[in-house]
Amino acid sequence: GQNIDQPTEMTATEGAIVQINCTYQTSGFNGLFWYQQHAGEAPTFLSYNVLDGLEEKGRFSSFLSRSKGYSYLLLKELQMKDSASYLCAVRGNTGGFKTIFGAGTRLFVKA
Amino acid sequence: SAVISQKPSRDICQRGTSLTIQCQVDSQVTMMFWYRQQPGQSLTLIATANQGSEATYESGFVIDKFPISRPNLTFSTLTVSNMSPEDSSIYLCSVALDGYEQYFGPGTRLTVT
């Protein structure tokens, strides 16, 4: 089976750095994704990790450790517009490479 | 990238009726997925719809309740049959390009009364 865990909510201050953790258990692994979703909107792609290590893209970075079943999303120089839900998702390598999503972490950025 | 449109964007339906949601993609894609997102919740995969084969349904979802069509590489429909208030949700179409990045449509907000 598959299981993805991430914190329900986090609060951080504008300009700060926040790290959102994700742990997963899957029967097969073909990549880990992070998506951002603002209220009432569809999810948008942020990052993809398939190999261990850190992927950096502007203010956002994502890290993966396959042996530990662990990932984190790092957001730097937080802005008010970063207030959103952040979804960790894992793609398996069977059954049509389907992607399963975690419950999401609601991030509140305060002034 | 891929641009995905869905119709209708929202609807209010009566219990016991059916609604068909359309998903149109601006490019040919092999893998297409249908998700459901209930208020305040994350996305739950309903089924995977690949052209040329029958849809593959996830545990808890059956073809009689959620029939899917995939007539070509740019279009799919999801029907929510014999609706009940528990089916009230946002239904999202999604495609995967090159087996990698996944794009989502704007969603169809369904309310069943």
Side-chain angles (χ1 to χ4, degrees), chain A residues 2 6 30 33 35 37 40-45 47-48 57 87-88 91 95-104 106, chain B residues 31 33 35 37 40-45 48 50 56 58 90 92 96-107 109:
Chain A
Q2 294 181 289
Q6 51 183 132
N30 195 30
F33 301 80
Y35 285 83
Q37 186 176 29
E41 299 181 9
T44 55
F45 170 82
S47 69
Y48 169 71
K57 187 186 295 186
L87 310 176
C88 176
R91 175 168 294 164
F97 299 92
K98 63 188 180 186
T99 301
I100 303 299
F101 285 76
R106 293 187 67 186
Chain B
M31 291 185 287
F33 308 90
Y35 286 85
Q37 187 172 32
Q41 305 295 314
S42 189
L43 289 80
T44 300
L45 182 63
T48 301
N50 294 332
T56 303
E58 295 302 303
I90 298 172
L92 296 129
L97 298 185
D98 301 325
Y100 167 41
E101 187 171 334
Q102 207 164 325
Y103 295 88
F104 288 84
R109 185 180 295 271

Side-chain angles (χ1 to χ4, degrees), chain A residues 11-16 78-83 107-111:
Chain A
T11 301
T13 305
E14 191 175 19
L78 280 173
Q79 303 174 9
M80 300 298 287
K81 68 178 182 179
D82 296 329
S83 293
L107 175 66
F108 299 93
V109 179
K110 59 182 182 180

Side-chain angles (χ1 to χ4, degrees), chain A residues 5-22:
Chain A
D5 289 315
Q6 51 183 132
T8 304
E9 288 186 359
M10 298 183 71
T11 301
T13 305
E14 191 175 19
I17 300 173
V18 70
Q19 177 174 312
I20 303 174
N21 296 322
C22 171

Side-chain angles (χ1 to χ4, degrees), chain A residues 10-109:
Chain A
M10 298 183 71
T11 301
T13 305
E14 191 175 19
I17 300 173
V18 70
Q19 177 174 312
I20 303 174
N21 296 322
C22 171
T23 58
Y24 64 90
Q25 293 176 308
T26 59
S27 54
F29 181 81
N30 195 30
L32 186 141
F33 301 80
W34 284 95
Y35 285 83
Q36 180 190 61
Q37 186 176 29
H38 285 99
E41 299 181 9
T44 55
F45 170 82
L46 288 179
S47 69
Y48 169 71
N49 294 70
V50 67
L51 299 176
D52 291 352
L54 187 68
E55 294 283 340
E56 297 186 80
K57 187 186 295 186
R59 293 190 299 117
F60 294 0
S61 302
S62 57
F63 172 83
L64 174 67
S65 170
R66 289 172 295 170
S67 62
K68 296 180 179 178
Y70 168 70
S71 174
Y72 67 73
L73 179 69
L74 194 70
L75 292 77
K76 304 175 186 175
E77 302 171 13
L78 280 173
Q79 303 174 9
M80 300 298 287
K81 68 178 182 179
D82 296 329
S83 293
S85 287
Y86 292 85
L87 310 176
C88 176
V90 177
R91 175 168 294 164
N93 55 13
T94 59
F97 299 92
K98 63 188 180 186
T99 301
I100 303 299
F101 285 76
T105 299
R106 293 187 67 186
L107 175 66
F108 299 93
V109 179

Side-chain angles (χ1 to χ4, degrees), chain B residues 7-85:
Chain B
K7 291 182 184 179
S9 58
R10 59 177 62 230
D11 206 343
I12 301 173
C13 301
Q14 289 193 339
R15 179 196 300 261
T17 62
S18 297
L19 176 72
T20 295
I21 303 168
Q22 298 180 4
C23 175
Q24 180 74 52
V25 188
D26 69 342
S27 57
Q28 294 186 336
V29 294
T30 303
M31 291 185 287
M32 188 174 284
F33 308 90
W34 286 98
Y35 286 85
R36 181 170 75 181
Q37 187 172 32
Q38 296 182 311
Q41 305 295 314
S42 189
L43 289 80
T44 300
L45 182 63
I46 297 172
T48 301
N50 294 332
Q51 199 269 338
S53 62
E54 290 192 3
T56 303
Y57 289 83
E58 295 302 303
S59 175
F61 298 96
V62 295
I63 188 172
D64 290 346
K65 174 69 175 177
F66 297 99
I68 289 171
S69 79
R70 184 80 202 275
N72 57 53
L73 292 174
T74 63
F75 186 79
S76 178
T77 67
L78 169 75
T79 299
V80 186
S81 304
N82 188 25
M83 288 183 283
S84 67

